[in-house]
Amino acid sequence: MIKQEFSRIDPKRRANLNHRQKQFATPAYKDVEYKHRLNFYITPPTADITLEQFEQWAIDRLRVLAELEACSFRNKGTAETATHMKPILEKYLPLSFTTFGSSTQQAERQKDHYSHFILRLAFASTEDLRRRFSRVETMLFRLRFQDEVATDRQAFVKELTLDWEPVSIEERRQYEEELRGASGWEKTRPQEESYFKVDWEKVPELVESRKVFMKGGKAYVPEKDQVSMVVAEFTSKLEKALALTSRALPRLDEDDRLTPILNHLSQNFTTPDSNYSSSNTSISGADISARNVDALSASFPLCMQNLHRSLRRDAHLKHYGRLQYTLFLKGIGLNLEECLIFWRSSFSKITDDVFNKEYRYNVRHAYGDVGGDSNRRGNGYSPFSCQKILTEHPPGPGEANGCPYRHFSMENLTALLQAVGVKDQDVLRGVKEDKEKTKFHLACNRVFEYAHKQEIKKVRDNGTWGAAELETIVHPNEYFKRSYLLKNMGKNPVDGEGRDEDVKMEG
């Protein structure tokens, strides 16, 4: 028997194929011209950017999305959210208006475009991440759409070519009473306004609030409620795109440059990581010394208060508790010499010889005073962020490290909160709800706002601090600095005298 070979390629086409040319062809990259401030993110970006830009742009957008999510969980209204987010958007993700023009306009829009797609890659892996990403991106788009200049908004919508059916004048006259009743028109007649017919599933908000007339599965939407239609289209397209992205993710597994960054970003959706800088958290003039740590602890976040209380109770902390607390003290400005004095006096049940042999080196290593790692030498390790405390080295038996909002039972957490002065039952119930929703950093911020409610009201009323200075806290050292400054308003950190306006957020 003669073995017959079969080929899927048509012999007539074989000569025209050049596999090597196809496989190794240089990809065509090009810059995108951004005509509008708004973006549906339909076309993936193709121009080159550096790995540093890749990561930093994504981190900046993550800060914005996390703050939007925090506004949602705090039940802030639309106007309050817009006011709160304005300085934060200007800080992390600015977008100049087309009408007014800007020399950085294209660069800002490129960052917005790329950062969206980078986070889309990071958050497409699981259904929970996709759902949360879609929700906060929709919130961001709605915020920008409502803030857009009317002419630019209309030009953007016109180019979308959405599947909306205009309602004829005859049909508007036919259903005049129904349209008037649904829309709440008083002076203007429905037939004088523009209406669109869309599937009712595309405008669930309007249907739920009974703001539209429905007939034959179609919702009759007035032009004034166009935002709901556009936002619904944005959400629908994004959800479909995320599903496609999730199926393409396995192709990235072999890229050892991008995968670690994407994994880091997705993990940080619990709470965005905060880049630590001593210049951002240090307080000039404050008495940061070993003898003053007890007094300073009144401004510590709950995780550090727990460590401090455990240390004072047991005259000892296990390794990860010591490391977490040492780096925090370093971050608030306690120098190496004072830190060694603090730990030696705190470990009162052991001899000098035991302390020097078993503990002294670790403190010096954390500060970068000893150790062979050239990258650490001279600087040491950075204080742990909330993200690191939440996700790394959970406490074991007899350990006091970690985050009480995550690692304590609700009973033990309530007892600790009451011990440090949180008695309000509404606050405790709110913390319980935050814990159940795994919004641990929001529980911490809730307690911060309760403990400093009078001071926060004062700096808001007199304009000393704005929304950017009061954005969600995501670092224990940031918590301390903000608390210390609020508690010491009107006092000079050195002599106790001064004026309210002297207290400003630094960095």
Side-chain angles (χ1 to χ4, degrees):
M1 180 181 290
I2 299 175
K3 184 178 180 181
Q4 187 175 3
E5 295 183 359
F6 293 93
S7 173
R8 293 182 179 179
I9 301 177
D10 186 338
K12 295 180 180 179
R13 295 181 56 205
R14 186 187 297 273
N16 296 326
L17 294 177
N18 186 332
H19 298 287
R20 185 170 185 81
Q21 184 177 0
K22 292 284 184 181
Q23 184 176 356
F24 297 102
T26 302
Y29 298 126
K30 62 178 181 179
D31 291 323
V32 177
E33 181 183 358
Y34 301 97
K35 295 172 59 179
H36 302 287
R37 180 169 173 263
L38 299 170
N39 197 333
F40 254 36
Y41 309 107
I42 301 299
T43 306
T46 55
D48 288 334
I49 61 171
T50 66
L51 278 176
E52 290 75 17
Q53 288 175 315
F54 184 93
E55 185 169 20
Q56 189 57 54
W57 290 358
I59 290 172
D60 287 348
R61 192 180 193 91
L62 184 59
R63 290 299 299 264
V64 169
L65 298 184
E67 198 66 30
L68 270 172
E69 190 174 53
C71 287
S72 173
F73 279 100
R74 292 174 183 175
N75 296 316
K76 291 183 182 289
T78 302
E80 189 180 4
T81 297
T83 301
H84 179 80
M85 290 302 302
K86 184 176 180 180
I88 295 168
L89 283 165
E90 291 174 352
K91 179 179 179 180
Y92 294 112
L93 209 59
L95 277 181
S96 303
F97 288 97
T98 304
T99 305
F100 307 117
S102 169
S103 59
T104 61
Q105 189 176 92
Q106 289 299 306
E108 291 172 352
R109 294 177 183 184
Q110 183 190 39
K111 177 181 178 180
D112 175 66
H113 187 207
Y114 276 70
S115 61
H116 169 88
F117 274 93
I118 295 167
L119 291 189
R120 186 187 288 188
L121 285 174
F123 301 138
S125 58
T126 69
E127 184 178 353
D128 177 61
L129 287 174
R130 290 195 295 272
R131 183 170 56 250
R132 289 179 62 193
F133 180 67
S134 175
R135 181 170 178 268
V136 289
E137 278 286 340
T138 297
M139 292 173 63
L140 177 59
F141 179 82
R142 178 189 292 274
L143 197 66
R144 287 172 167 172
F145 188 84
Q146 292 175 323
D147 188 46
E148 184 60 284
V149 177
T151 53
D152 294 338
R153 183 169 59 229
Q154 291 170 2
F156 171 74
V157 173
K158 186 177 180 180
E159 291 192 11
L160 291 177
T161 62
L162 299 173
D163 186 21
W164 299 348
E165 181 183 349
V167 180
S168 66
I169 296 177
E170 292 75 15
E171 198 170 4
R172 278 180 267 165
R173 287 174 179 167
Q174 180 183 355
Y175 299 115
E176 178 177 344
E177 293 303 318
E178 291 86 348
L179 294 173
R180 185 192 297 275
S183 302
W185 296 114
E186 294 181 2
K187 297 180 181 180
T188 307
R189 297 176 65 85
Q191 62 263 34
E192 297 172 357
E193 297 296 324
S194 297
Y195 277 78
F196 299 93
K197 277 195 295 188
V198 297
D199 292 335
W200 69 268
E201 297 98 331
K202 292 186 176 182
V203 285
E205 295 177 349
L206 298 179
V207 173
E208 183 180 6
S209 57
R210 302 193 176 191
K211 290 184 177 181
V212 290
F213 167 60
M214 291 182 57
K215 180 76 174 177
K218 298 288 185 179
Y220 289 65
V221 183
E223 189 173 16
K224 70 182 181 69
D225 290 323
Q226 187 184 68
V227 59
S228 294
M229 297 165 63
V230 178
V231 169
E233 289 285 350
F234 176 87
T235 305
S236 175
K237 292 181 184 299
L238 178 56
E239 289 175 348
K240 291 176 183 177
L242 284 168
L244 290 174
T245 303
S246 68
R247 293 199 287 269
L249 282 179
R251 302 176 192 172
L252 288 176
D253 288 346
E254 296 180 2
D255 192 328
D256 56 5
R257 300 169 305 158
L258 300 185
T259 301
I261 297 175
L262 295 175
N263 289 338
H264 178 71
L265 290 168
S266 63
Q267 291 170 2
N268 284 358
F269 210 18
T270 306
T271 173
D273 214 340
S274 177
N275 292 329
Y276 167 76
S277 168
S278 59
S279 63
N280 287 342
T281 55
S282 60
I283 306 173
S284 59
D287 180 13
I288 310 295
S289 60
R291 61 182 169 81
N292 204 34
V293 171
D294 284 334
L296 294 172
S297 66
S299 289
F300 289 180
L302 195 62
C303 54
M304 301 305 166
Q305 287 201 42
N306 180 52
L307 285 166
H308 187 75
R309 291 166 65 87
S310 299
L311 178 61
R312 287 292 179 252
R313 182 190 65 225
D314 303 330
H316 187 266
L317 285 176
K318 291 191 175 182
H319 172 71
Y320 285 118
R322 293 197 309 273
L323 180 60
Q324 181 176 321
Y325 198 28
T326 295
L327 294 176
F328 170 79
L329 294 174
K330 173 189 172 185
I332 71 173
L334 193 68
N335 64 37
L336 174 58
E337 182 179 354
E338 287 292 321
C339 193
L340 287 168
I341 293 172
F342 169 77
W343 282 112
R344 178 63 197 97
S345 62
S346 298
F347 280 22
S348 56
K349 297 179 181 179
I350 62 173
T351 64
D352 287 344
D353 187 51
V354 172
F355 178 81
N356 290 333
K357 285 182 178 179
E358 298 184 13
Y359 302 105
R360 185 182 183 87
Y361 181 90
N362 288 337
V363 177
R364 293 178 61 199
H365 187 265
Y367 274 76
D369 189 52
V370 294
D373 189 339
S374 59
N375 292 324
R376 299 289 186 190
R377 182 105 177 142
N379 297 311
Y381 296 90
S382 294
F384 291 172
S385 66
C386 294
Q387 173 66 22
K388 190 176 183 70
I389 293 171
L390 283 167
T391 57
E392 298 184 17
H393 307 301
E399 293 184 313
N401 61 292
C403 170
Y405 297 104
R406 175 169 189 169
H407 298 119
F408 277 28
S409 67
M410 193 61 223
E411 182 180 357
N412 290 341
L413 176 58
T414 301
L416 178 59
L417 286 170
Q418 291 175 334
V420 299
V422 181
K423 309 290 187 181
D424 190 288
Q425 291 301 312
D426 288 338
V427 175
L428 294 173
R429 278 193 294 271
V431 168
K432 183 175 184 293
E433 292 173 2
D434 292 334
K435 179 177 173 62
E436 289 171 349
K437 295 176 181 176
T438 70
K439 304 299 178 186
F440 309 112
H441 64 302
L442 295 186
C444 185
N445 278 267
R446 186 188 297 274
V447 170
F448 178 90
E449 290 169 5
Y450 166 76
H452 303 83
K453 56 185 174 183
Q454 294 181 348
E455 294 89 347
I456 290 174
K457 183 179 185 303
K458 189 171 184 179
V459 296
R460 277 178 173 160
D461 290 346
N462 64 24
T464 308
W465 289 8
E469 287 81 13
L470 290 170
E471 65 182 85
T472 304
I473 297 171
V474 293
H475 200 294
N477 290 86
E478 184 184 353
Y479 185 111
F480 168 76
K481 179 176 182 178
R482 202 177 295 181
S483 173
Y484 184 91
L485 291 176
L486 288 171
K487 287 178 181 293
N488 288 275
M489 280 194 308
K491 300 177 184 177
N492 185 296
V494 178
D495 58 21
E497 297 178 358
R499 298 175 300 169
D500 288 351
E501 54 265 34
D502 292 332
V503 181
K504 302 275 188 181
M505 286 290 286
E506 300 176 10

